[in-house]
Structure formats: C-alpha cells, structure tokens
Amino acid sequence: MAGYSSYSLRAVKRKFGLIEDKSHFTIGIPPIIPTDLLVQTLERNLDTMGLNNEKSRSEFVVAPIMMEVAYLHRARVSVYSGENLEADKSEDLNGECDFIISGMPRSSTIEIPIICLVECENDNLMSGTGQCVAQMLGAQIVNERDGNRLPYIYGCVTTGNDWKFLKLEQKTIYTDITTYYLKDVGQILGIFQRLIEDLTHSTI
C-alpha cells in the first residue's frame, strides 16, 4: 500500500537524501511521576489482557500512555490517533498516522504537527522506523506549507514495551542511542514533556 507505511528506513533515506546519525538527545531528561490512573490502567491491562499483537498493544499500552501525555499537556497540545496527515501524495507522504502530537491545543484538525509516533509490528522497533521518518518528513512539509517555522520534528517508534525516539533536522535523522522500556514509563513521559516544551516554545 502506498503512503507512509510503504517506507523502510533504507528506502526513505535513499529517496529523500537523508543522513542518519546516532545521538544522545534524550540523555539527562528527568522522569515525571505518572498519575495513579495510568499506573493502575497499565498494571490491570498487563495482568489481564493478551498483548500478543499490534492492535492489542496499541489499545491497552500505547493509547493509555498517549492519553496521559494529552492530559498532562492539554494546555499546549492536541493528540490525534488514526488521523490522515496529507503532505505530498506524489511522494507517498500521505496516509493514516498511529499518533500525532500537534502544537495547537484543543484543535479539531491537525495543526502544527510536532511529534509522530508509530507502533511497530512483530516486537521489532526497526519495522516502524522508516514509516516514522516518512511521517516526520510529512510533518515538516505540512508545517513549512502552513508557515510554521520549526527547527526540527520529533518521532517515536514503540512496540508498547520498547520506546525509541528520533529527531529530524533538515536532512539529518538523529536516532537516539537509548531505548526506553515500559517499566520506566515515568522516563518516557518525561521525554515527551521535554520534546513538547522544546517545540511549543519554538513555534512561530
């Protein structure tokens, strides 16, 4: 199927002339304490639900974490699930996104996309990285088209248990060296907080 999901990391790098670099851009970011609701929801879901496919992990692990991000930062951002991000259909930079964080609070449409999150198949972070980079490129195009000048776009790929963060700056894709895990959900929330603060402060 054409669109974001058609891209592997190798394909998106080759087609758009991207350079990949390893980075420590999340190092030193402090965790934040998750709400009791999130802790209890994750504990219950991990204890009672069969999380052996992408759909179940999305519904019972990823979605509660993204709901927490949306709640904690509701004065700054909106979080969308399953919405289309139409950037450039001729380049297959279009299609449905698992989650998009927009730098515009309480908006009914995606405005100022700042973070793209892709859920990976088969418990393999690499399987979703190309798609995530393609969506980050799409977000970059949408922002430029709308006159929103951002220095970079962030991305995240996750299996539900493993979380890896990315940053797209012009033609360089920075892959964070550290992989974070669900048991450190406070650290994951802290990183999302820092990325949101970074780009909502940069929005013009």
Side-chain angles (χ1 to χ4, degrees):
M1 182 176 63
Y4 297 119
S5 61
S6 66
Y7 282 107
S8 66
L9 181 58
R10 177 178 293 183
V12 75
K13 285 167 58 180
R14 183 189 304 122
K15 183 168 184 177
F16 297 101
L18 301 179
I19 299 168
E20 186 181 9
D21 196 3
K22 303 296 183 182
S23 176
H24 292 279
F25 66 86
T26 64
I27 194 167
I29 296 177
I32 61 176
I33 298 173
T35 61
D36 290 341
L37 176 61
L38 177 61
V39 171
Q40 292 166 7
T41 298
L42 290 176
E43 286 179 348
R44 181 182 61 190
N45 291 350
L46 291 169
D47 284 345
T48 61
M49 304 304 298
L51 303 177
N52 56 355
N53 60 62
E54 183 181 354
K55 183 176 183 295
S56 62
R57 291 191 296 269
S58 174
E59 292 177 352
F60 302 121
V61 178
V62 181
I65 292 173
M66 297 311 294
M67 289 172 65
E68 179 96 339
V69 171
Y71 173 75
L72 292 175
H73 306 287
R74 61 196 179 279
R76 287 183 172 173
V77 303
S78 299
V79 179
Y80 302 87
S81 173
E83 293 289 334
N84 287 330
L85 183 67
E86 303 299 327
D88 188 342
K89 192 172 183 178
S90 68
E91 298 285 8
D92 285 334
L93 296 177
N94 66 293
E96 184 177 298
C97 300
D98 292 331
F99 290 93
I100 289 279
I101 299 179
S102 157
M104 181 68 67
R106 296 179 297 278
S107 175
S108 60
T109 58
I110 298 175
E111 300 179 53
I112 320 178
I114 58 174
I115 304 175
C116 306
L117 182 144
V118 170
E119 300 153 1
C120 303
E121 299 178 357
N122 304 319
D123 283 332
N124 181 358
L125 286 176
M126 283 302 297
S127 69
T129 301
Q131 180 180 344
C132 187
V133 172
Q135 290 179 9
M136 293 161 74
L137 282 167
Q140 191 179 65
I141 289 170
V142 168
N143 281 320
E144 289 173 356
R145 187 169 65 208
D146 293 346
N148 301 314
R149 292 177 289 169
L150 296 177
Y152 26 74
I153 299 292
Y154 287 114
C156 179
V157 289
T158 181
T159 64
N161 184 64
D162 305 349
W163 297 68
K164 177 79 75 173
F165 291 89
L166 311 168
K167 180 169 74 172
L168 176 65
E169 185 173 4
Q170 297 180 344
K171 289 288 188 178
T172 301
I173 182 73
Y174 294 96
T175 304
D176 192 66
I177 289 174
T178 305
T179 299
Y180 296 92
Y181 300 98
L182 184 60
K183 63 182 179 64
D184 303 314
V185 67
Q187 187 68 62
I188 294 166
L189 293 174
I191 292 169
F192 274 113
Q193 175 172 283
R194 176 66 60 84
L195 305 190
I196 288 168
E197 289 175 346
D198 186 14
L199 283 181
T200 54
H201 287 160
S202 299
T203 303
I204 298 177

